[in-house]
Amino acid sequence: MATDTRNRGRLAPVVDWMENLSEAAYAYLLLLPAFGLLTLIAFYPLISTFWMSLLEDQTRGAETLGGFVGLDNYIGILTGDARLARQFLDIQFTGSFPFFELGVGFFQQALFVTLAFAILNVLFTTLIGFGQALVLDKDFRGRRWVRVAVIIPWAVPIVVQGMIFYLMFQPTVGFGADLMNGLGLFSANPLASSRDSFFIILIADVWKTSAFMALLILAGLQSVDRSLYDVAKVSGASAWQRFKLITFPLVLPALLVAMLFRTMDAMRVYGLIESTAGCTTVPSMTCMVIEGMFGGTRIYGTAAAVAFMTAVIIGVFISVYIVKFRDTDGGVY
């Protein structure tokens, strides 16, 4: 008992200080261990990657990195002087009509591939996932089995998914190459074409990840108060008006969260590309990092620079989602 009294006396100033904290300050205090863990597992690797990106590539000898070169790796990437794989397209934007010319560094091509893939992927998965969620939200016979069927593509491992589409578009194995070539959409060997392979990979990823979007949007739809629709029907609102004024605004927070996760995942695409057409055919920014680190070129500094730039671009997307979409009270979703 005496020991407890002495301990309480020693901790009395700390206890008094904690009791005088505001609710927000006390909440942040409780979150300090989580922030420390987040710093350890997230920010430390990011800072370490940035430091590596400031060091010279060491292609010979036992050392993996050379001396400090500052932003030279970033300059080499942006100007096309970095030792990286071949280009995806030869397009460079200019300030005069027609606003592009041939001949550009590989990083812009990988950036173009990554951004185009992310934008198109999020667009199509959102539209398809929203449509699937609207259907699954209805009460009909066999809805449970339809939900299972929608989820099945999401359960397929990425490597298996890549092999499915790889075999599907092999000219001598699958039916996809002959079918698309007969329609005049793809070449005879689409997996050897960067343009055709890009769309094959895009279709494959949309097929898989639309289920993810549908499930998140469905969770938002099922949280909507059904009595609102009854009132709207009595008031004479059409189906489009009910969707526009009730469904979409109330499901928007869940939709934005789903789009945010999908954008981050699409920006990091690698496994599907490598297992379907290969990074030399459809290079992404993550492909550049993997090839630079493990492709035998030993350009660790350049690869780290690409990895850090990828993280920065993803951070920009996250900031846009957080800052752009706010509720009526001024808080973010």
Side-chain angles (χ1 to χ4, degrees):
M1 187 70 176
T3 303
D4 293 342
T5 303
R6 288 196 299 270
N7 289 338
R8 186 176 295 114
R10 294 170 184 171
L11 297 176
V14 178
V15 173
D16 294 338
W17 173 75
M18 294 177 62
E19 289 179 347
N20 293 326
L21 291 175
S22 64
E23 290 186 3
Y26 188 69
Y28 282 119
L29 180 64
L30 295 178
L31 289 173
L32 275 179
F35 287 149
L37 183 61
L38 180 64
T39 301
L40 180 65
I41 65 176
F43 291 109
Y44 174 75
L46 187 63
I47 295 172
S48 178
T49 300
F50 177 68
W51 172 249
M52 288 178 58
S53 70
L54 303 179
L55 302 179
E56 184 182 13
D57 295 329
Q58 190 77 10
T59 58
R60 297 180 180 178
E63 297 294 330
T64 57
L65 290 166
F68 181 81
V69 293
L71 299 178
D72 286 355
N73 291 328
Y74 293 93
I75 295 173
I77 292 169
L78 293 171
T79 58
D81 294 332
R83 291 167 292 184
L84 296 166
R86 71 178 185 86
Q87 297 177 3
F88 176 73
L89 294 173
D90 293 326
I91 299 176
Q92 183 175 19
F93 293 100
T94 65
S96 58
F97 187 82
F99 305 112
F100 64 88
E101 62 184 12
L102 298 180
V104 66
F106 180 81
F107 174 72
Q108 287 90 336
Q109 301 309 318
L111 178 60
F112 166 77
V113 171
T114 306
L115 291 179
F117 180 84
I119 293 171
L120 292 175
N121 189 292
V122 173
L123 174 63
F124 287 116
T125 54
T126 301
L127 293 176
I128 296 173
F130 210 128
Q132 291 175 336
L134 289 174
V135 172
L136 296 177
D137 191 48
K138 303 297 181 182
D139 189 12
F140 58 91
R141 186 176 182 181
R143 182 176 64 172
R144 181 182 304 176
W145 298 107
V146 175
R147 288 183 176 181
V148 172
V150 169
I151 296 173
I152 287 176
W154 178 248
V156 176
I158 291 178
V159 175
V160 175
Q161 173 196 7
M163 290 306 300
I164 289 173
F165 281 84
Y166 170 79
L167 295 173
M168 186 185 301
F169 287 93
Q170 275 293 325
T172 59
V173 179
F175 65 90
D178 293 337
L179 175 62
M180 300 303 284
N181 181 250
L183 295 174
L185 299 177
F186 286 174
S187 60
N189 188 7
L191 293 178
S193 167
S194 294
R195 180 186 66 87
D196 297 344
S197 297
F198 175 84
F199 287 107
I200 291 172
I201 293 168
L202 178 64
I203 293 170
D205 202 56
V206 169
W207 170 77
K208 177 181 174 65
T209 57
S210 294
F212 171 78
M213 298 291 287
L215 291 176
L216 291 183
I217 297 171
L218 179 61
L221 286 174
Q222 294 192 334
S223 66
V224 177
D225 187 358
R226 303 296 167 173
S227 63
L228 296 174
Y229 295 107
D230 297 332
V231 174
K233 288 180 181 179
V234 172
S235 302
S238 64
W240 167 248
Q241 289 173 327
R242 293 196 298 271
F243 174 81
K244 178 182 178 181
L245 300 177
I246 299 176
T247 303
F248 187 75
L250 294 180
V251 82
L252 186 58
L255 177 64
L256 294 177
V257 171
M259 292 176 64
L260 175 59
F261 283 122
R262 188 82 284 279
T263 301
M264 291 190 295
D265 193 41
M267 286 290 297
R268 297 181 286 109
V269 61
Y270 167 73
L272 182 58
I273 292 177
E274 186 62 27
S275 59
T276 305
C279 285
T280 56
T281 305
V282 184
S284 67
M285 294 175 68
T286 307
C287 283
M288 295 176 64
V289 177
I290 301 298
E291 291 296 322
M293 287 285 187
F294 309 107
T297 54
R298 289 172 54 96
I299 50 175
Y300 296 105
T302 301
V306 177
F308 186 77
M309 294 174 100
T310 305
V312 169
I313 294 172
I314 293 175
V316 170
F317 272 102
I318 295 174
S319 300
V320 170
Y321 277 107
I322 293 176
V323 174
K324 180 69 175 178
F325 305 105
R326 297 176 180 273
D327 60 18
T328 55
D329 294 328
V332 297
Y333 289 111

